[in-house]
Amino acid sequence: MAAAASERQRDFWCIALLVAVATVFFSDVLFVGNNFFRRDLFNYHFPMKSIVREAMLSGEFPFWNRHYSGGQPLAANPAYELFYPPQWLILFGRYPFGFALHIVVHVYAALIGMYLLLRELPLGRPASLFGALSFGMGGFLLGSMPMLPTFFVWALAPIAGWSFVRVLRKPTGTRFVVAAVLAGMQLIIAEPMAILQMWVLIATGVLLLKRSGGLRLAQAIAILIVVGVMSFLIAAVQLIPAIDHARDSVRSRGLSYRTVRSYAMPPARPLELAIPQLFRSWVASSFDRGAPYLLCLYNGVGVAILALAGFLLLARGAGAVAGLAIASYVVAIGDRTPLLHALYSAGVARGIRYPEKFAALGIVAITLFAASIADRLLSGDAKARRAVIVAGVIIVAISLIPAVAGAEWLTGFLIASAALALILMRARLNQRPWLLLALTLVLFDLGLVGNEIVTRMPATYFSPPEAIGAFDEKRSTYALLHRGEWNPETENYKQLGRLLGPWLQRNGLKPLTPATWGFRTALELDYDETALLPTHDLLDAMMKLGNGGFANWAESFGAISNVGYIIDYRAVADVIADARDAEHSRPIRIMRVANPGEYYFPEQIIEARSADDVIAFMRRNGMRRRTAFVAFPPLPIARGNVMRVLETANGAIVDVECQAKALLVATVTRHKYWRATLDDRAVPLLPVNIAYQGLIVPAGRHRVEWHYRNPLVIWGAALSLATLAACALVVVLGRMSPRV
């Protein structure tokens, strides 16, 4: 008993060390006010999670998001991660801190989870520490941070793997529940490609455990099926409405092949397993978009040396790891082999985005494999030592490639890689001083790379930019249209990026950032391809008009989308002439345009049976009056007045008065779950202006009410709560049962 307590205490101190390492690394974020901003973090996730926080604090359940594209479903769209418990940390303290905290907590989870998983396999503490640091502080996980759903799934993968190993070795009710809850949390994230890869790793682990005599294959498969079903039921609150939402979004049409193949991995990129940030130099031109999807693949030179040594040894699991790595590589390089195109043509890969995501499978497998070889080396295995010597020479030689190619390089990395290789080859690592030195070099190696890829900005970056003062204070009565963002390939835009760096994202009010400060936007690009089909029909029509050479495309479509301001980028020369620093730069000009209001009676009604009819009218006549395009014979124009509007998160109360029967237009994206009443009587909603909606109002004074509620969210929540209640009952009964 005392020995077991001592073992647990030592594990506790190892976990405390891992937490301390991450806390020191992110101390500027946790204690000073700096924050994460790179790529999607500030442009996409920061404003989106600000909307979620505001909705959660409003007191009304957030079925609907009014900030984007005339309104879009919120709860049903897993991109918002409303039901993902760790995201609720955004409610803690001021929003920027909560945003940073919920990211850092996932690094803690990755470190602790990987340590527990490796100890459960079982590996010794030093090897488990090495594996946990290599994964949790490695370039792969930290480099996936800008893509939060991918980052979240992989950060939770080790702790989920730990729970699966435990239930496979000793199936009990409590262990079933723990595994199901952790797997269910990942399903709530709904990042299918990462989840698929994690389950492939689990299935591979089951086969390896079977080979070691740990369990019968049929029993293991039955356990995985039960846990999988339970995890789906736990995640039903998100998965059921998400499946329904996918049918209503552009995903139902299938992604274009160009979108599917985007962000494929260059064939040479696996060299980055031994050479961090190689893409910044001579490999950069190999990327389809000039940049990778995963910012880094490097998990430390120790992983590279030990994994290669394991392959040279033909160690247990080498074949499985090699198979996973090769499979992930073939998929990750996209259409550089015929496989992706064949899968797309067969209809299998129409929903896949960013093939490089699949590199994760091989990287995680290799990192686990390297930790097992480290454990073998530390146990004094002579064969492992000889293999490490050969592998160390090879990896250090590979790490010199950038220098030979004349690329700028990190001297510190070369020092760390050479020193660590020397220690692994020559030192007695079972002695504490050598272990501490090796651990220090691992941290130095990973810290150099991590500090470069996890870039931060000061607290002022996350405060409102000066441009906010140019807008009317009644932010809910109009939308912003950023016309400049529809022309990102112009030389002026590229020069602004080089001049202002990350400050262009903030000061340029790039979509979707205005939502952070309470503004609504319209006609913005659907970055994650989850907007409703009517929204895409509207965007397609707008792009067709603009690409056809019509100069006032933004004003025309803005007029039917309640746009009150149009934003453009200023000329670089004008920005420079301000003689201000990047932080206080003014890269945009803001133009006020007349907006009809979110609810209005049109001054002209045009029968338009298709988007092409709308485009043809705009080309001929422009948009000078409040207009409604309808797919039915138009009503005579009647004078009407919107006297009062009271909006809530999921609806609106609109008091109106009109002289005769008239059409009331709502610049709110239509969806099947919208309902309307006129003086408490249900009335039908009609499609208006391609993406929006309206209804017929008789003469007189009336109260019109709109309500949005997705019943599948409610049904899914009931199923999830019932499953969690059953899980709690299983745990309680398990604790009450007599122990033998």
Side-chain angles (χ1 to χ4, degrees):
M1 184 71 70
S6 177
E7 289 292 302
R8 288 194 296 271
Q9 187 177 44
R10 291 176 182 176
D11 284 329
F12 170 81
W13 286 114
C14 287
I15 289 172
L17 173 63
L18 293 171
V19 171
V21 167
T23 301
V24 171
F25 184 77
F26 293 112
S27 58
D28 61 322
V29 172
L30 295 173
F31 308 118
V32 178
N34 293 351
N35 217 320
F36 308 109
F37 83 98
R38 191 162 185 176
R39 212 151 77 179
D40 289 358
L41 284 172
F42 182 74
N43 284 343
Y44 179 80
H45 295 294
F46 193 78
M48 181 177 284
K49 293 177 187 296
S50 173
I51 293 170
V52 173
R53 173 185 161 105
E54 178 186 338
M56 293 178 73
L57 294 176
S58 70
E60 186 176 1
F61 188 84
F63 286 106
W64 188 255
N65 167 28
R66 292 190 175 278
H67 288 82
Y68 297 160
S69 301
Q72 298 289 312
L74 191 157
N77 188 345
Y80 293 92
E81 295 164 340
L82 175 66
F83 302 106
Y84 179 52
Q87 181 175 257
W88 301 342
L89 289 169
I90 62 175
L91 301 174
F92 190 82
R94 293 179 61 252
Y95 171 62
F97 175 75
F99 177 79
L101 179 64
H102 98 290
I103 294 174
V104 174
V105 161
H106 282 84
V107 177
Y108 291 146
L111 290 165
I112 296 171
M114 183 58 81
Y115 179 82
L116 293 175
L117 171 61
L118 295 174
R119 288 288 289 146
E120 189 70 27
L121 285 179
L123 302 185
R125 288 189 193 84
S128 298
L129 273 175
F130 164 76
L133 287 170
S134 298
F135 177 78
M137 299 300 294
F140 159 68
L141 186 70
L142 298 184
S144 70
M145 190 181 290
M147 293 69 67
L148 285 183
T150 298
F151 170 72
F152 289 160
V153 169
W154 284 113
L156 294 181
I159 192 74
W162 165 80
S163 69
F164 273 96
V165 172
R166 284 170 58 82
V167 75
L168 287 167
R169 285 194 168 148
K170 185 180 179 182
T172 66
T174 299
R175 292 187 176 189
F176 265 107
V177 167
V178 171
V181 168
L182 290 172
M185 285 178 60
Q186 289 183 300
L187 287 179
I188 286 174
I189 299 167
E191 211 306 313
M193 298 304 105
I195 292 170
L196 173 64
Q197 292 176 81
M198 194 204 78
W199 278 84
V200 169
L201 279 172
I202 290 171
T204 305
V206 167
L207 293 175
L208 291 176
L209 285 172
K210 178 183 179 298
R211 287 178 56 191
S212 65
L215 73 168
R216 296 193 306 273
L217 183 59
Q219 179 189 21
I221 293 174
I223 290 172
L224 293 183
I225 290 174
V226 172
V227 172
V229 171
M230 290 173 63
S231 66
F232 180 89
L233 294 175
I234 289 171
V237 64
Q238 185 66 80
L239 295 183
I240 291 176
I243 293 169
D244 178 63
H245 176 68
R247 293 201 299 262
D248 297 333
S249 75
V250 71
R251 295 291 179 105
S252 65
R253 294 174 178 170
L255 302 175
S256 68
Y257 184 67
R258 180 180 179 183
T259 300
V260 168
R261 71 174 297 278
S262 179
Y263 280 121
M265 185 176 75
R269 200 176 184 201
L271 286 172
E272 197 177 318
L273 293 171
I275 311 171
Q277 301 293 69
L278 181 61
F279 69 87
R280 294 185 63 227
S281 51
W282 57 275
V283 181
S285 60
S286 301
F287 287 96
D288 296 334
R289 296 191 179 186
Y293 177 81
L294 297 171
L295 294 181
C296 186
L297 306 186
Y298 180 76
N299 274 351
V301 69
V303 168
I305 293 172
L306 290 164
L308 179 57
F311 290 129
L312 295 175
L313 279 169
L314 297 178
R316 179 174 175 270
V321 172
L324 293 175
I326 292 170
S328 71
Y329 174 79
V330 170
V331 179
I333 60 176
D335 59 358
R336 291 177 172 90
T337 72
L339 177 63
L340 183 64
H341 195 279
L343 292 174
Y344 184 84
S345 299
V348 177
R350 303 240 165 167
I352 292 176
R353 297 182 76 194
Y354 314 138
E356 194 173 73
K357 287 181 180 180
F358 286 91
L361 177 63
I363 296 167
V364 176
I366 286 171
T367 304
L368 289 166
F369 184 54
S372 70
I373 302 304
D375 192 62
R376 186 168 165 178
L377 177 68
L378 291 167
S379 68
D381 188 310
K383 290 183 179 179
R385 187 177 183 129
R386 288 193 294 270
V388 165
I389 292 174
V390 176
V393 171
I394 293 172
I395 294 300
V396 171
I398 291 175
S399 69
L400 296 173
I401 290 176
V404 174
E408 180 182 353
W409 197 240
L410 292 173
T411 303
F413 162 69
L414 291 175
I415 295 172
S417 61
L420 186 59
L422 181 63
I423 289 176
L424 291 173
M425 288 186 285
R426 303 295 299 170
R428 294 183 178 179
L429 289 178
N430 56 354
Q431 295 180 358
R432 184 169 297 178
W434 287 109
L435 283 173
L436 292 175
L437 181 57
L439 178 63
T440 301
L441 286 169
V442 168
L443 290 174
F444 177 67
D445 178 27
L446 296 174
L448 283 173
V449 178
N451 195 54
E452 185 174 355
I453 59 177
V454 186
T455 47
R456 277 89 90 177
M457 291 296 286
T460 53
Y461 187 85
F462 302 89
S463 60
E466 295 178 13
I468 294 299
F471 301 113
D472 189 304
E473 292 184 1
K474 297 178 180 178
R475 302 177 186 185
S476 64
T477 61
Y478 57 84
L480 310 180
L481 168 56
H482 203 310
R483 177 165 51 191
E485 275 297 302
W486 283 100
N487 297 291
E489 299 302 320
T490 63
E491 186 58 33
N492 185 73
Y493 181 90
K494 295 175 182 178
Q495 289 183 21
L496 283 172
R498 290 190 288 268
L499 176 68
L500 304 179
W503 291 99
L504 180 62
Q505 297 181 34
R506 170 188 181 261
N507 297 354
L509 290 180
K510 293 169 69 73
L512 307 160
T513 59
T516 306
W517 299 288
F519 290 93
R520 302 178 182 184
T521 56
L523 303 169
E524 70 273 8
L525 184 67
D526 179 17
Y527 293 98
D528 57 5
E529 302 279 0
T530 61
L532 294 172
L533 287 171
T535 300
H536 270 267
D537 292 338
L538 183 70
L539 292 177
D540 290 343
M542 182 184 72
M543 289 188 286
K544 188 173 183 178
L545 181 64
N547 293 336
F550 188 74
N552 295 324
W553 60 270
E555 290 84 352
S556 297
F557 274 87
I560 62 173
S561 300
N562 194 36
V563 168
Y565 293 88
I566 295 178
I567 301 170
D568 288 295
Y569 286 112
R570 300 171 67 202
V572 172
D574 294 336
V575 176
I576 295 174
D578 286 340
R580 309 180 85 187
D581 57 24
E583 179 177 350
H584 300 95
S585 60
R586 293 183 297 165
I588 55 175
R589 63 174 182 272
I590 301 168
M591 179 177 68
R592 185 69 165 101
V593 293
N595 62 298
E598 190 169 11
Y599 305 89
Y600 66 93
F601 289 98
E603 297 172 1
Q604 62 178 351
I605 302 176
I606 308 298
E607 185 175 359
R609 296 287 176 175
S610 68
D612 287 338
D613 292 341
V614 175
I615 294 170
F617 179 89
M618 289 180 175
R619 283 196 179 121
R620 289 193 309 268
N621 304 285
M623 294 291 291
R624 292 181 290 275
R625 294 188 290 172
R626 291 180 175 180
T627 303
F629 295 98
V630 299
F632 51 84
L635 299 171
I637 297 301
R639 293 178 62 86
N641 182 35
V642 176
M643 298 180 295
R644 174 176 174 266
V645 176
L646 176 62
E647 280 193 327
T648 61
N650 306 309
I653 299 173
V654 183
D655 293 328
V656 301
E657 182 178 24
C658 51
Q659 296 177 348
K661 185 167 69 171
L663 175 67
L664 175 63
V665 176
T667 312
V668 178
T669 306
R670 68 177 185 274
H671 190 227
K672 62 189 179 187
Y673 295 125
W674 274 111
R675 299 289 182 268
T677 60
L678 178 70
D679 299 330
D680 297 325
R681 297 190 309 273
V683 292
L685 289 167
L686 305 171
V688 178
N689 292 338
I690 303 178
Y692 306 120
Q693 56 186 303
L695 53 82
I696 304 299
V697 180
R701 301 188 68 165
H702 304 279
R703 170 161 289 185
V704 182
E705 297 187 43
W706 269 271
H707 304 279
Y708 184 86
R709 178 172 294 180
N710 187 334
L712 295 184
V713 173
I714 299 171
W715 300 343
L719 188 56
S720 294
L721 290 173
T723 305
L724 287 172
C727 289
L729 182 61
V730 168
V731 173
V732 171
L733 292 177
R735 291 184 177 276
M736 292 175 60
S737 61
R739 298 180 182 274
V740 179

